[in-house]
Amino acid sequence: MHKIELEKAYNPKSFEDRIYAQWLESGAFSPAPSEDPPYVVVIPPPNVTGVLHMGHGLNQTLQDIVIRFHRMRGESTLWVPGTDHAGIATQNVVEKRLKAQGRNRRDMSREEFVKETWKVKEEHHAVISKQIAVMGGSVDWTRERFTLDQGLSRAVRDVFVSLYERNLLYKGNYLVNWCVGCGTALADDEVEHEDTPGKMYHIRYPYADNSGGFVELATTRPETLFGDTAVAVYPDDERYKHLVGKTVRLPLTDRDIPVVADSYIDPAFGTGLMKITPAHDVNDWEVGKRHNLQVVNILTAEGRLNAEVPAKYRDMTIDAARDAVVQDLKAQDLLIKEEEITHSVGHCYRCGTVIEPFLSEQWFVRMKPLAEKALAAWRRGEILFYPKRWENTYAHWLANIRDWCVSRQLWWGHRIPAWTCASCGKTTVSRMDIEKCPHCGGAVCQDPDVLDTWFSSWLWPFSTLGWEGVEQAERETPADLRRFYPTTALITAYDIIFFWVSRMIMAGLEFTGQVPFRDVYIHGLVRDKQGRKMSKSLGNGLDPLELVDEFGADAVKFTLAYLCAQGQDVLIDKDSFKLGSKFANKVWNASRFILMNLEGRNLVENPPLRPIDQWIYSRLNAAAKTMTDAFLSYRYNDAASVADAFFWNDFCDWYVEAAKLSLHSEDESKKDRAVSVLLDVLARALRLLHPLIPFITEEIYGKLPNTKESLIAAPYPSPVFNEKDAEIEKNFLVLQDLTRQIRTLRSECAIPPEKKARVAVNSSEFGEFLRENSPMVKAFANISELSFSAGREKDCPQGAIGLVGNGFEAFVFIADAVDLSFLKKKFTKELEKDKRFISALESKLANESFLRNAPTDLVENERIKLKNARARVEKLATYVRDMD
């Protein structure tokens, strides 16, 4: 063989694009034909509104890892890519762009606006696709989908009509979450609640009989009093029973409203009285229905007060009206007091505008029947959550679900397939566009609203595989749907478990009769080192592409996997990615060393194995088993940490270093054997690491003289354990323990590298093994002479320090290398210092005040310090005693 040159320095830019192009050209990302069950993942479709952020980077890394792992296990794997049209978010982007050009959506036709939005979609889609490729995503690009493509649009329309036909979809005037900023209704789970500073206003509502009496009511929103249609009390509240059936005067108006009794009222809260505003509060809406109260909507869709309020306040914004109302209440001596408070306020998940409860005619999906099916499937064990604790969140949300408002007052999205007749007023819901009323033949007008973005996303697992409707699926099931549905796993962040995960399960059961996936892995969010969400306003965001440019895709992917512990958020900054970079460099440099030592060597088939060879294969098998178990249960950090420990510690620090003894031998057959085993172990190690660091492993694997196929399609290492593995592992643990203790002692005694010391080892159980491998111990521990005996020494030999391990004792003759008297003084001084440190720690931990008030982790850290200090004192005392 000839030596193979890798670049001296690891430079991912020199091969990552080339490797990805090779994978694409070979069709490596497409599922291989197989009769066995496939492994299928559908990508959570990123919104076509911008570039991918670190959350996407983490999510796509985790999906790519398991896809590559299952592909290497010989399974037919499919990872479906795609993007989401993101109705509100994308329309906002386009409207901002138009505003910058001095234009407005209302100045354009609907068709013109949609055309502009498609342009934005194409721009962003190209960027997103590039980002997925740069990160190494092994998605099947031939099956890419978009939530507004023709096939998915047919599926969305069919589902809308089917739900309507099944009496699971209806239209009506109900209180919805209204975003003034976006100009549309939102579903409950699109509202983000934040603790916000505010005020509680206590207001007099005078008795209508002009007797001079009044009731005191408190509200955070005094401007909504114009929508009050009652005051409510608890039925058995003795303080107010006498008021039920009477009326009070609505402040700042000439309108009187009744006092009603309702069990919803909490008599212990505030004054025990509550203003009822049915058009602007969800709970008040229910009270209003029970008492048949008038519903007065005081807001326009633009968030201004309308004609239902006194003329003075009309067309005011909500904030302006609040200020004006408060001033007028003060002027009329109707404001009792104001209190500073902090309360939970709903905000739009997209633009951050405060949400207004708003009476509006909207389309709703009846969710309870769908939720019951989804709960039953989970209880039958058809869905498995990782981590398991997310099951409780899933079950609680479904058990308390409310109907889903699915209509949005936008132009970008799936237009609602409903037409209203101008003549007879009837509404027709249809799978096909209609031009005239099927009831009377009159002219019809299509509903101007579009469907919630999530209405297309909840069909994603089966619509992306060719499902376009109930009748189509029953008539002829599409090949991909038949082959790849249900999918296997969903990998997503916990912040969309309500938006998306639960709804997909409901849709899958309702329209295909099956859950859409078996495994649901819920990962954490990417945050900065302080635990804050990454955002532009905080300036703590990280761009995955910039990180790839600086560190390489493998370094980014490995770091994210290494830090992704189940059930925890990933806390990172830019420096975090040095972890992955160092590991990739280690893989590169170790491989480069091996390939540089091939000159003149011959590959030996089935070479005889030395104990060190048997040991590295045993370690490889153990790593393969642990990593396989970790990948199968989505424990990414466990897999990455085992990979790191095996390659860095077992392979590089021990095995490669041991192999250097053979490579420097005069015996050519030893060199051939060493190189042959090194190459075989390296090839297996690269297969082991490939799911975590695909680019570098593919690049190196393709240069090995003992490999032929592309690594992406090579088999993942299968653990094959030998009955002698346990004995080999046990022996090498002793060898490693002896080596580490000698190295530690050399460091503590400040023995310079050029000074070597003699070592005598006593071990009846491991003596023979250590003797056979003494060249390795001498090289690793930098010692001049290694002698053995079977019995134990009564006393430590003169000029030596004793070491004790499991199954051996050793004496290091440090007098050969250092001045003992100087060393004894050094250790004695350190011993006294450590004793004082222990005394201080013991006092601290005996202090009840410290134990009671200090954080738990701080107390535990102090206990660990004490334990380590005591161990060090015991060791130093032994050293000093041995030198007497």
Side-chain angles (χ1 to χ4, degrees):
M1 293 185 290
H2 298 288
K3 69 177 181 179
I4 298 171
E5 290 281 356
L6 290 181
E7 287 187 32
K8 188 173 182 179
Y10 167 58
N11 178 20
K13 292 180 182 178
S14 68
F15 57 83
E16 287 187 347
D17 288 348
R18 169 171 48 82
I19 292 292
Y20 197 82
Q22 290 174 6
W23 288 332
L24 284 177
E25 187 177 354
S26 67
F29 300 160
S30 296
S34 174
E35 296 299 319
D36 296 326
Y39 187 88
V40 184
V41 174
V42 291
I43 196 170
N47 295 343
V48 286
T49 52
V51 297
L52 302 184
H53 52 64
M54 280 311 302
H56 294 113
L58 172 64
N59 182 254
Q60 290 170 18
T61 291
L62 302 182
Q63 292 174 83
D64 192 50
I65 287 171
V66 293
I67 280 289
R68 289 180 181 275
F69 167 73
H70 285 277
R71 185 184 291 124
M72 293 180 76
R73 279 165 60 91
E75 299 172 51
S76 180
T77 57
L78 173 61
W79 184 12
V80 180
T83 46
D84 194 303
H85 68 279
I88 295 175
T90 306
Q91 181 153 323
N92 280 344
V93 168
V94 177
E95 292 205 43
K96 286 179 182 177
R97 183 177 291 191
L98 291 173
K99 186 176 181 181
Q101 299 170 357
R103 303 164 68 194
N104 188 288
R105 170 167 67 102
R106 300 298 177 185
D107 300 331
M108 310 168 66
S109 69
R110 184 177 189 134
E111 291 72 22
E112 289 173 330
F113 180 82
V114 170
K115 187 176 180 180
E116 286 294 317
T117 312
W118 273 103
K119 292 178 183 177
V120 171
K121 179 266 176 187
E122 294 301 331
E123 291 172 20
H124 290 292
H125 173 265
V127 174
I128 289 170
S129 298
K130 179 185 175 183
Q131 288 175 315
I132 293 174
V134 167
M135 287 287 291
S138 56
V139 297
D140 186 350
W141 291 108
T142 66
R143 288 176 164 86
E144 184 180 11
R145 303 303 299 267
F146 177 52
T147 52
L148 267 178
D149 68 29
Q150 289 186 354
L152 268 70
S153 295
R154 284 191 288 268
V156 166
R157 178 173 283 204
D158 185 88
V159 164
F160 186 92
V161 177
S162 296
L163 288 171
Y164 185 80
E165 292 169 344
R166 299 174 188 185
N167 197 30
L168 291 171
L169 185 122
Y170 63 94
K171 189 177 187 181
N173 275 300
Y174 291 92
L175 215 56
V176 297
N177 304 299
W178 187 263
C179 175
V180 173
C182 296
T184 184
L186 299 178
D188 290 342
D189 39 27
E190 292 175 312
V191 179
E192 295 181 344
H193 291 273
E194 301 174 9
D195 286 340
T196 306
K199 289 184 178 181
M200 182 71 75
Y201 301 90
H202 292 254
I203 306 171
R204 286 189 177 92
Y205 282 54
Y207 292 162
D209 60 8
N210 296 318
S211 62
F214 65 91
V215 293
E216 179 182 340
L217 292 102
T219 179
T220 59
R221 307 189 59 197
E223 73 281 0
T224 64
L225 65 81
F226 298 122
D228 292 356
T229 55
V231 171
V233 302
Y234 187 70
D236 297 327
D237 192 331
E238 295 295 336
R239 295 171 297 173
Y240 305 119
K241 267 187 175 182
H242 66 286
L243 293 176
V244 176
K246 297 184 177 181
T247 57
V248 296
R249 178 66 46 84
L250 191 62
L252 308 183
T253 73
D254 57 2
R255 186 154 54 92
D256 295 339
I257 57 176
V259 178
V260 299
D262 195 278
S263 57
Y264 167 71
I265 309 305
D266 180 359
F269 182 78
T271 62
L273 293 156
M274 182 177 290
K275 62 193 284 295
I276 303 301
T277 320
H280 297 285
D281 184 274
V282 174
N283 296 311
D284 292 6
W285 170 264
E286 297 299 329
V287 174
K289 285 198 296 184
R290 285 194 290 272
H291 296 276
N292 197 29
L293 297 176
Q294 182 184 3
V295 178
V296 179
N297 177 20
I298 66 165
L299 293 178
T300 68
E302 293 73 32
R304 292 180 177 272
L305 273 63
N306 62 22
E308 295 290 344
V309 305
K312 174 181 179 179
Y313 308 100
R314 291 173 191 171
D315 204 38
M316 283 186 178
T317 64
I318 293 166
D319 289 341
R322 182 173 304 169
D323 292 340
V325 166
V326 170
Q327 291 303 315
D328 290 346
L329 288 171
K330 288 179 180 178
Q332 297 185 29
D333 197 28
L334 294 173
L335 185 67
I336 299 171
K337 63 179 178 179
E338 301 176 24
E339 296 175 313
E340 299 287 341
I341 63 166
T342 298
H343 59 144
S344 180
V345 177
H347 293 76
C348 174
Y349 81 115
R350 276 297 171 195
C351 71
T353 301
V354 173
I355 292 300
E356 298 295 334
F358 187 71
L359 186 63
S360 176
E361 188 176 41
Q362 304 287 342
W363 289 92
F364 295 84
V365 174
R366 300 185 201 278
M367 298 300 282
K368 191 172 182 180
L370 304 178
E372 287 171 349
K373 293 180 183 179
L375 272 171
W378 165 66
R379 292 189 179 114
R380 291 192 300 267
E382 295 174 16
I383 303 160
L384 303 175
F385 281 86
Y386 300 84
K388 191 176 176 63
R389 66 183 175 87
W390 286 108
E391 292 179 351
N392 297 327
T393 304
Y394 171 82
H396 177 78
W397 188 72
L398 289 178
N400 296 278
I401 201 164
R402 294 172 55 182
D403 286 355
W404 174 19
C405 175
V406 295
S407 46
R408 297 290 181 270
Q409 290 63 53
L410 305 171
W411 282 355
W412 173 247
H414 296 277
R415 193 164 177 182
I416 291 174
W419 289 260
T420 301
C421 178
S423 300
C424 68
K426 291 183 178 180
T427 296
T428 302
V429 173
S430 173
R431 289 177 176 83
M432 305 295 292
D433 287 356
I434 63 172
E435 296 181 355
K436 60 182 180 179
C437 178
H439 304 286
C440 71
V444 294
C445 179
Q446 186 175 359
D447 194 312
D449 293 347
V450 300
L451 288 164
D452 179 10
T453 293
W454 301 101
F455 196 90
S456 51
S457 301
W458 77 326
L459 314 178
W460 190 249
F462 50 94
S463 63
T464 53
L465 296 173
W467 190 95
E468 294 182 0
V470 176
E471 293 182 3
Q472 171 247 27
E474 291 176 349
R475 185 173 62 251
E476 182 180 359
T477 305
D480 273 5
L481 188 68
R482 185 170 57 249
R483 177 80 182 93
F484 299 114
Y485 186 83
T487 66
T488 313
L490 177 74
I491 298 170
T492 189
Y494 63 72
D495 57 341
I496 56 173
I497 190 170
F498 308 127
F499 288 125
W500 196 44
V501 179
S502 302
R503 289 176 183 161
M504 281 191 291
I505 294 170
M506 288 185 267
L509 288 165
E510 182 66 25
F511 297 106
T512 72
Q514 302 178 81
V515 293
F517 30 71
R518 179 196 67 212
D519 297 345
V520 180
Y521 172 69
I522 305 292
H523 61 77
L525 303 182
V526 179
R527 300 180 183 273
D528 67 14
K529 286 285 191 174
Q530 296 171 255
R532 302 175 301 177
K533 287 187 73 171
M534 292 188 171
S535 67
K536 290 181 180 178
S537 60
L538 292 174
N540 60 353
L542 295 172
D543 183 344
L545 285 192
E546 290 180 3
L547 293 170
V548 169
D549 186 63
E550 182 170 349
F551 299 104
D554 288 327
V556 173
K557 292 160 80 80
F558 186 82
T559 300
L560 291 172
Y562 194 93
L563 298 176
C564 185
Q566 274 196 9
Q568 298 179 28
D569 287 336
V570 179
L571 307 185
I572 57 172
D573 58 17
K574 188 175 180 180
D575 285 346
S576 302
F577 295 92
K578 291 178 181 177
L579 182 153
S581 181
K582 288 177 181 177
F583 183 67
N585 270 282
K586 189 70 174 179
V587 172
W588 185 266
N589 292 334
S591 302
R592 183 172 182 272
F593 168 78
I594 294 169
L595 295 178
M596 286 177 62
N597 279 278
L598 300 184
E599 189 67 40
R601 303 274 58 85
N602 297 301
L603 272 177
V604 180
E605 289 190 20
N606 301 315
L609 300 181
R610 302 164 298 160
I612 186 69
D613 300 327
Q614 294 171 333
W615 173 79
I616 195 61
Y617 280 117
S618 176
R619 299 306 302 146
L620 179 66
N621 283 327
K625 182 181 186 308
T626 304
M627 289 177 66
T628 294
D629 292 343
F631 285 140
L632 290 174
S633 55
Y634 307 97
R635 291 181 288 110
Y636 295 94
N637 65 313
D638 289 346
S641 60
V642 169
D644 179 82
F646 167 75
F647 196 87
W648 199 300
N649 300 330
D650 296 337
F651 184 60
C652 293
D653 289 354
W654 291 96
Y655 186 71
V656 173
E657 290 302 312
K660 289 178 181 179
L661 298 175
S662 296
L663 294 176
H664 296 152
S665 169
E666 297 296 325
D667 187 334
E668 296 298 319
S669 63
K670 279 187 178 181
K671 293 182 180 180
D672 289 344
R673 182 189 64 194
V675 163
S676 298
V677 179
L678 266 174
L679 284 171
D680 185 61
V681 176
L682 176 60
R684 293 172 189 247
L686 293 173
R687 283 157 45 198
L688 188 79
L689 303 178
H690 179 74
L692 296 165
I693 47 173
F695 286 112
I696 187 174
T697 50
E698 185 74 82
E699 174 71 358
I700 297 169
Y701 194 82
K703 295 182 181 299
L704 300 185
N706 56 325
T707 61
K708 295 179 180 178
E709 76 270 83
S710 175
L711 177 54
I712 194 172
Y716 198 76
S718 298
V720 180
F721 292 101
N722 189 296
E723 61 182 17
K724 293 183 178 181
D725 284 352
E727 181 182 354
I728 287 291
E729 294 265 4
K730 184 178 179 182
N731 288 341
F732 264 90
L733 279 175
V734 172
L735 185 149
Q736 289 174 314
D737 187 21
L738 172 62
T739 301
R740 290 190 183 105
Q741 288 201 46
I742 296 172
R743 286 174 171 174
T744 300
L745 181 62
R746 287 182 62 93
S747 175
E748 291 171 334
C749 295
I751 300 175
E754 65 274 10
K755 296 278 190 178
K756 298 182 183 293
R758 291 173 295 131
V759 176
V761 177
N762 297 330
S763 177
S764 57
E765 185 177 358
F766 301 103
E768 183 178 350
F769 174 79
L770 292 171
R771 182 180 287 107
E772 290 174 356
N773 290 277
S774 58
M776 197 185 311
V777 178
K778 290 168 68 177
F780 285 160
N782 195 20
I783 55 182
S784 59
E785 182 182 325
L786 188 59
S787 60
F788 297 90
S789 63
R792 295 182 67 87
E793 294 284 345
K794 291 183 179 179
D795 300 308
C796 180
Q798 187 70 29
I801 287 180
L803 304 174
V804 178
N806 187 14
F808 72 87
E809 66 175 0
F811 300 99
V812 182
F813 291 86
I814 58 171
D816 295 352
V818 293
D819 181 340
L820 281 185
S821 60
F822 171 80
L823 191 60
K824 184 175 181 180
K825 289 178 182 178
K826 174 178 177 291
F827 285 158
T828 302
K829 186 176 180 180
E830 291 176 3
L831 187 59
E832 293 305 317
K833 180 181 178 182
D834 286 345
K835 285 180 178 178
R836 290 193 299 272
F837 181 62
I838 287 173
S839 178
L841 281 175
E842 288 175 337
S843 298
K844 192 174 188 179
L845 290 168
N847 186 325
E848 289 297 328
S849 177
F850 171 73
L851 295 177
R852 185 171 54 254
N853 298 317
T856 304
D857 56 346
L858 176 60
V859 174
E860 183 59 27
N861 192 42
E862 296 299 285
R863 286 176 175 150
I864 292 171
K865 287 181 183 178
L866 179 60
K867 180 181 177 181
N868 293 339
R870 284 171 173 168
R872 176 170 165 77
V873 162
E874 183 179 351
K875 183 168 66 171
L876 286 175
T878 301
Y879 290 172
V880 171
R881 187 169 59 250
D882 286 348
M883 286 186 280
D884 284 340

